[in-house]
PDB file of all heavy atoms in Angstrom:
ATOM      1  N   GLU A  34       1.561 -11.989   6.758  1.00 97.00           N
ATOM      2  CA  GLU A  34       2.799 -12.502   6.164  1.00 97.00           C
ATOM      3  C   GLU A  34       3.406 -11.475   5.212  1.00 97.00           C
ATOM      4  O   GLU A  34       4.594 -11.181   5.269  1.00 97.00           O
ATOM      5  CB  GLU A  34       2.524 -13.798   5.405  1.00 97.00           C
ATOM      6  CG  GLU A  34       3.756 -14.387   4.748  1.00 97.00           C
ATOM      7  CD  GLU A  34       3.433 -15.663   4.020  1.00 97.00           C
ATOM      8  OE1 GLU A  34       2.811 -16.553   4.616  1.00 97.00           O
ATOM      9  OE2 GLU A  34       3.810 -15.756   2.836  1.00 97.00           O
ATOM     10  N   HIS A  35       2.581 -10.957   4.306  1.00 97.00           N
ATOM     11  CA  HIS A  35       3.054  -9.933   3.378  1.00 97.00           C
ATOM     12  C   HIS A  35       1.861  -9.208   2.759  1.00 97.00           C
ATOM     13  O   HIS A  35       0.726  -9.674   2.846  1.00 97.00           O
ATOM     14  CB  HIS A  35       3.948 -10.523   2.278  1.00 97.00           C
ATOM     15  CG  HIS A  35       3.236 -11.430   1.332  1.00 97.00           C
ATOM     16  ND1 HIS A  35       3.131 -12.797   1.535  1.00 97.00           N
ATOM     17  CD2 HIS A  35       2.588 -11.183   0.172  1.00 97.00           C
ATOM     18  CE1 HIS A  35       2.452 -13.329   0.537  1.00 97.00           C
ATOM     19  NE2 HIS A  35       2.104 -12.368  -0.311  1.00 97.00           N
ATOM     20  N   VAL A  36       2.172  -8.077   2.136  1.00 98.00           N
ATOM     21  CA  VAL A  36       1.174  -7.318   1.398  1.00 98.00           C
ATOM     22  C   VAL A  36       1.700  -7.136  -0.025  1.00 98.00           C
ATOM     23  O   VAL A  36       2.824  -6.674  -0.223  1.00 98.00           O
ATOM     24  CB  VAL A  36       0.894  -5.940   2.031  1.00 98.00           C
ATOM     25  CG1 VAL A  36      -0.106  -5.159   1.193  1.00 98.00           C
ATOM     26  CG2 VAL A  36       0.378  -6.098   3.459  1.00 98.00           C
ATOM     27  N   GLU A  37       0.874  -7.529  -0.984  1.00 98.00           N
ATOM     28  CA  GLU A  37       1.196  -7.323  -2.390  1.00 98.00           C
ATOM     29  C   GLU A  37       0.428  -6.088  -2.860  1.00 98.00           C
ATOM     30  O   GLU A  37      -0.793  -6.051  -2.779  1.00 98.00           O
ATOM     31  CB  GLU A  37       0.776  -8.532  -3.214  1.00 98.00           C
ATOM     32  CG  GLU A  37       0.975  -8.339  -4.708  1.00 98.00           C
ATOM     33  CD  GLU A  37       0.337  -9.448  -5.507  1.00 98.00           C
ATOM     34  OE1 GLU A  37      -0.924  -9.531  -5.505  1.00 98.00           O
ATOM     35  OE2 GLU A  37       1.080 -10.228  -6.121  1.00 98.00           O
ATOM     36  N   TYR A  38       1.173  -5.086  -3.312  1.00 98.00           N
ATOM     37  CA  TYR A  38       0.570  -3.860  -3.827  1.00 98.00           C
ATOM     38  C   TYR A  38       0.590  -3.910  -5.346  1.00 98.00           C
ATOM     39  O   TYR A  38       1.623  -4.212  -5.952  1.00 98.00           O
ATOM     40  CB  TYR A  38       1.347  -2.632  -3.367  1.00 98.00           C
ATOM     41  CG  TYR A  38       1.322  -2.395  -1.878  1.00 98.00           C
ATOM     42  CD1 TYR A  38       2.422  -2.695  -1.089  1.00 98.00           C
ATOM     43  CD2 TYR A  38       0.210  -1.854  -1.258  1.00 98.00           C
ATOM     44  CE1 TYR A  38       2.422  -2.456   0.277  1.00 98.00           C
ATOM     45  CE2 TYR A  38       0.185  -1.616   0.110  1.00 98.00           C
ATOM     46  CZ  TYR A  38       1.298  -1.922   0.869  1.00 98.00           C
ATOM     47  OH  TYR A  38       1.288  -1.691   2.229  1.00 98.00           O
ATOM     48  N   ILE A  39      -0.537  -3.611  -5.959  1.00 98.00           N
ATOM     49  CA  ILE A  39      -0.607  -3.533  -7.412  1.00 98.00           C
ATOM     50  C   ILE A  39      -0.896  -2.079  -7.762  1.00 98.00           C
ATOM     51  O   ILE A  39      -1.945  -1.532  -7.409  1.00 98.00           O
ATOM     52  CB  ILE A  39      -1.680  -4.473  -7.986  1.00 98.00           C
ATOM     53  CG1 ILE A  39      -1.389  -5.915  -7.550  1.00 98.00           C
ATOM     54  CG2 ILE A  39      -1.725  -4.354  -9.514  1.00 98.00           C
ATOM     55  CD1 ILE A  39      -2.444  -6.914  -7.948  1.00 98.00           C
ATOM     56  N   LEU A  40       0.062  -1.477  -8.460  1.00 98.00           N
ATOM     57  CA  LEU A  40      -0.005  -0.064  -8.790  1.00 98.00           C
ATOM     58  C   LEU A  40      -0.616   0.139 -10.176  1.00 98.00           C
ATOM     59  O   LEU A  40      -0.896  -0.819 -10.892  1.00 98.00           O
ATOM     60  CB  LEU A  40       1.397   0.543  -8.734  1.00 98.00           C
ATOM     61  CG  LEU A  40       2.175   0.304  -7.430  1.00 98.00           C
ATOM     62  CD1 LEU A  40       3.550   0.948  -7.504  1.00 98.00           C
ATOM     63  CD2 LEU A  40       1.399   0.806  -6.228  1.00 98.00           C
ATOM     64  N   HIS A  41      -0.786   1.385 -10.554  1.00 97.00           N
ATOM     65  CA  HIS A  41      -1.325   1.758 -11.864  1.00 97.00           C
ATOM     66  C   HIS A  41      -0.475   1.127 -12.981  1.00 97.00           C
ATOM     67  O   HIS A  41       0.746   0.989 -12.830  1.00 97.00           O
ATOM     68  CB  HIS A  41      -1.312   3.288 -11.975  1.00 97.00           C
ATOM     69  CG  HIS A  41      -2.052   3.799 -13.145  1.00 97.00           C
ATOM     70  ND1 HIS A  41      -1.441   3.974 -14.375  1.00 97.00           N
ATOM     71  CD2 HIS A  41      -3.335   4.172 -13.294  1.00 97.00           C
ATOM     72  CE1 HIS A  41      -2.328   4.437 -15.230  1.00 97.00           C
ATOM     73  NE2 HIS A  41      -3.495   4.564 -14.597  1.00 97.00           N
ATOM     74  N   PRO A  42      -1.093   0.746 -14.094  1.00 96.00           N
ATOM     75  CA  PRO A  42      -0.350   0.094 -15.187  1.00 96.00           C
ATOM     76  C   PRO A  42       0.794   0.923 -15.773  1.00 96.00           C
ATOM     77  O   PRO A  42       1.664   0.361 -16.442  1.00 96.00           O
ATOM     78  CB  PRO A  42      -1.426  -0.152 -16.253  1.00 96.00           C
ATOM     79  CG  PRO A  42      -2.712  -0.155 -15.514  1.00 96.00           C
ATOM     80  CD  PRO A  42      -2.530   0.783 -14.362  1.00 96.00           C
ATOM     81  N   THR A  43       0.849   2.215 -15.521  1.00 94.00           N
ATOM     82  CA  THR A  43       1.943   3.025 -16.046  1.00 94.00           C
ATOM     83  C   THR A  43       3.255   2.813 -15.287  1.00 94.00           C
ATOM     84  O   THR A  43       4.309   3.242 -15.758  1.00 94.00           O
ATOM     85  CB  THR A  43       1.585   4.527 -16.019  1.00 94.00           C
ATOM     86  OG1 THR A  43       1.237   4.891 -14.682  1.00 94.00           O
ATOM     87  CG2 THR A  43       0.426   4.830 -16.961  1.00 94.00           C
ATOM     88  N   PHE A  44       3.215   2.161 -14.123  1.00 94.00           N
ATOM     89  CA  PHE A  44       4.435   1.862 -13.384  1.00 94.00           C
ATOM     90  C   PHE A  44       5.120   0.654 -14.018  1.00 94.00           C
ATOM     91  O   PHE A  44       4.483  -0.378 -14.237  1.00 94.00           O
ATOM     92  CB  PHE A  44       4.124   1.547 -11.909  1.00 94.00           C
ATOM     93  CG  PHE A  44       3.850   2.758 -11.077  1.00 94.00           C
ATOM     94  CD1 PHE A  44       2.587   3.339 -11.064  1.00 94.00           C
ATOM     95  CD2 PHE A  44       4.849   3.331 -10.302  1.00 94.00           C
ATOM     96  CE1 PHE A  44       2.324   4.464 -10.300  1.00 94.00           C
ATOM     97  CE2 PHE A  44       4.602   4.455  -9.534  1.00 94.00           C
ATOM     98  CZ  PHE A  44       3.337   5.025  -9.531  1.00 94.00           C
ATOM     99  N   PRO A  45       6.427   0.750 -14.309  1.00 91.00           N
ATOM    100  CA  PRO A  45       7.115  -0.378 -14.943  1.00 91.00           C
ATOM    101  C   PRO A  45       7.165  -1.632 -14.060  1.00 91.00           C
ATOM    102  O   PRO A  45       7.109  -2.740 -14.557  1.00 91.00           O
ATOM    103  CB  PRO A  45       8.513   0.152 -15.230  1.00 91.00           C
ATOM    104  CG  PRO A  45       8.642   1.428 -14.486  1.00 91.00           C
ATOM    105  CD  PRO A  45       7.267   1.894 -14.115  1.00 91.00           C
ATOM    106  N   ASP A  46       7.283  -1.459 -12.769  1.00 94.00           N
ATOM    107  CA  ASP A  46       7.289  -2.585 -11.825  1.00 94.00           C
ATOM    108  C   ASP A  46       6.067  -2.438 -10.933  1.00 94.00           C
ATOM    109  O   ASP A  46       6.173  -2.144  -9.761  1.00 94.00           O
ATOM    110  CB  ASP A  46       8.587  -2.622 -11.019  1.00 94.00           C
ATOM    111  CG  ASP A  46       8.908  -1.303 -10.325  1.00 94.00           C
ATOM    112  OD1 ASP A  46       8.346  -0.259 -10.725  1.00 94.00           O
ATOM    113  OD2 ASP A  46       9.702  -1.313  -9.388  1.00 94.00           O
ATOM    114  N   ARG A  47       4.919  -2.653 -11.518  1.00 96.00           N
ATOM    115  CA  ARG A  47       3.659  -2.293 -10.840  1.00 96.00           C
ATOM    116  C   ARG A  47       3.232  -3.248  -9.735  1.00 96.00           C
ATOM    117  O   ARG A  47       2.377  -2.916  -8.928  1.00 96.00           O
ATOM    118  CB  ARG A  47       2.544  -2.122 -11.863  1.00 96.00           C
ATOM    119  CG  ARG A  47       2.115  -3.389 -12.560  1.00 96.00           C
ATOM    120  CD  ARG A  47       1.046  -3.093 -13.584  1.00 96.00           C
ATOM    121  NE  ARG A  47      -0.180  -2.669 -12.951  1.00 96.00           N
ATOM    122  CZ  ARG A  47      -1.350  -3.258 -13.135  1.00 96.00           C
ATOM    123  NH1 ARG A  47      -1.457  -4.279 -13.958  1.00 96.00           N
ATOM    124  NH2 ARG A  47      -2.420  -2.817 -12.524  1.00 96.00           N
ATOM    125  N   ILE A  48       3.791  -4.448  -9.666  1.00 98.00           N
ATOM    126  CA  ILE A  48       3.464  -5.385  -8.580  1.00 98.00           C
ATOM    127  C   ILE A  48       4.639  -5.404  -7.619  1.00 98.00           C
ATOM    128  O   ILE A  48       5.756  -5.765  -7.980  1.00 98.00           O
ATOM    129  CB  ILE A  48       3.163  -6.791  -9.120  1.00 98.00           C
ATOM    130  CG1 ILE A  48       1.951  -6.730 -10.049  1.00 98.00           C
ATOM    131  CG2 ILE A  48       2.931  -7.757  -7.960  1.00 98.00           C
ATOM    132  CD1 ILE A  48       1.639  -8.033 -10.744  1.00 98.00           C
ATOM    133  N   ARG A  49       4.352  -5.010  -6.381  1.00 98.00           N
ATOM    134  CA  ARG A  49       5.411  -4.915  -5.370  1.00 98.00           C
ATOM    135  C   ARG A  49       4.950  -5.618  -4.100  1.00 98.00           C
ATOM    136  O   ARG A  49       3.811  -5.456  -3.677  1.00 98.00           O
ATOM    137  CB  ARG A  49       5.721  -3.458  -5.074  1.00 98.00           C
ATOM    138  CG  ARG A  49       6.084  -2.720  -6.379  1.00 98.00           C
ATOM    139  CD  ARG A  49       6.588  -1.377  -6.143  1.00 98.00           C
ATOM    140  NE  ARG A  49       6.694  -0.630  -7.392  1.00 98.00           N
ATOM    141  CZ  ARG A  49       7.070   0.626  -7.447  1.00 98.00           C
ATOM    142  NH1 ARG A  49       7.371   1.279  -6.345  1.00 98.00           N
ATOM    143  NH2 ARG A  49       7.142   1.229  -8.605  1.00 98.00           N
ATOM    144  N   VAL A  50       5.842  -6.380  -3.517  1.00 98.00           N
ATOM    145  CA  VAL A  50       5.522  -7.143  -2.311  1.00 98.00           C
ATOM    146  C   VAL A  50       6.365  -6.615  -1.157  1.00 98.00           C
ATOM    147  O   VAL A  50       7.584  -6.502  -1.271  1.00 98.00           O
ATOM    148  CB  VAL A  50       5.777  -8.648  -2.527  1.00 98.00           C
ATOM    149  CG1 VAL A  50       5.495  -9.427  -1.244  1.00 98.00           C
ATOM    150  CG2 VAL A  50       4.935  -9.177  -3.677  1.00 98.00           C
ATOM    151  N   GLU A  51       5.686  -6.294  -0.073  1.00 98.00           N
ATOM    152  CA  GLU A  51       6.358  -5.816   1.141  1.00 98.00           C
ATOM    153  C   GLU A  51       6.155  -6.837   2.250  1.00 98.00           C
ATOM    154  O   GLU A  51       5.053  -7.319   2.469  1.00 98.00           O
ATOM    155  CB  GLU A  51       5.811  -4.451   1.561  1.00 98.00           C
ATOM    156  CG  GLU A  51       6.046  -3.356   0.534  1.00 98.00           C
ATOM    157  CD  GLU A  51       7.513  -3.063   0.296  1.00 98.00           C
ATOM    158  OE1 GLU A  51       8.336  -3.253   1.226  1.00 98.00           O
ATOM    159  OE2 GLU A  51       7.854  -2.632  -0.829  1.00 98.00           O
ATOM    160  N   ARG A  52       7.248  -7.165   2.947  1.00 98.00           N
ATOM    161  CA  ARG A  52       7.226  -8.222   3.964  1.00 98.00           C
ATOM    162  C   ARG A  52       7.621  -7.742   5.365  1.00 98.00           C
ATOM    163  O   ARG A  52       7.725  -8.532   6.281  1.00 98.00           O
ATOM    164  CB  ARG A  52       8.154  -9.351   3.553  1.00 98.00           C
ATOM    165  CG  ARG A  52       7.742 -10.001   2.253  1.00 98.00           C
ATOM    166  CD  ARG A  52       8.686 -11.128   1.839  1.00 98.00           C
ATOM    167  NE  ARG A  52       8.319 -11.655   0.559  1.00 98.00           N
ATOM    168  CZ  ARG A  52       7.341 -12.526   0.342  1.00 98.00           C
ATOM    169  NH1 ARG A  52       6.617 -12.969   1.353  1.00 98.00           N
ATOM    170  NH2 ARG A  52       7.081 -12.963  -0.874  1.00 98.00           N
ATOM    171  N   ASN A  53       7.837  -6.446   5.548  1.00 98.00           N
ATOM    172  CA  ASN A  53       8.333  -5.918   6.809  1.00 98.00           C
ATOM    173  C   ASN A  53       7.182  -5.411   7.686  1.00 98.00           C
ATOM    174  O   ASN A  53       6.709  -4.288   7.519  1.00 98.00           O
ATOM    175  CB  ASN A  53       9.349  -4.806   6.537  1.00 98.00           C
ATOM    176  CG  ASN A  53      10.036  -4.333   7.792  1.00 98.00           C
ATOM    177  OD1 ASN A  53       9.672  -4.716   8.906  1.00 98.00           O
ATOM    178  ND2 ASN A  53      11.037  -3.494   7.621  1.00 98.00           N
ATOM    179  N   ALA A  54       6.781  -6.235   8.632  1.00 97.00           N
ATOM    180  CA  ALA A  54       5.698  -5.839   9.542  1.00 97.00           C
ATOM    181  C   ALA A  54       6.116  -4.683  10.438  1.00 97.00           C
ATOM    182  O   ALA A  54       5.281  -3.871  10.836  1.00 97.00           O
ATOM    183  CB  ALA A  54       5.266  -7.034  10.389  1.00 97.00           C
ATOM    184  N   ALA A  55       7.410  -4.581  10.753  1.00 96.00           N
ATOM    185  CA  ALA A  55       7.893  -3.539  11.664  1.00 96.00           C
ATOM    186  C   ALA A  55       7.605  -2.134  11.140  1.00 96.00           C
ATOM    187  O   ALA A  55       7.411  -1.209  11.931  1.00 96.00           O
ATOM    188  CB  ALA A  55       9.387  -3.713  11.917  1.00 96.00           C
TER     189      ALA A  55
END
Side-chain angles (χ1 to χ4, degrees):
E34 179 180 309
H35 67 269
V36 177
E37 175 190 67
Y38 295 104
I39 302 175
L40 307 180
H41 190 271
T43 56
F44 282 83
D46 53 341
R47 68 182 293 236
I48 299 175
R49 304 189 190 177
V50 178
E51 298 297 331
R52 298 180 184 280
N53 187 352

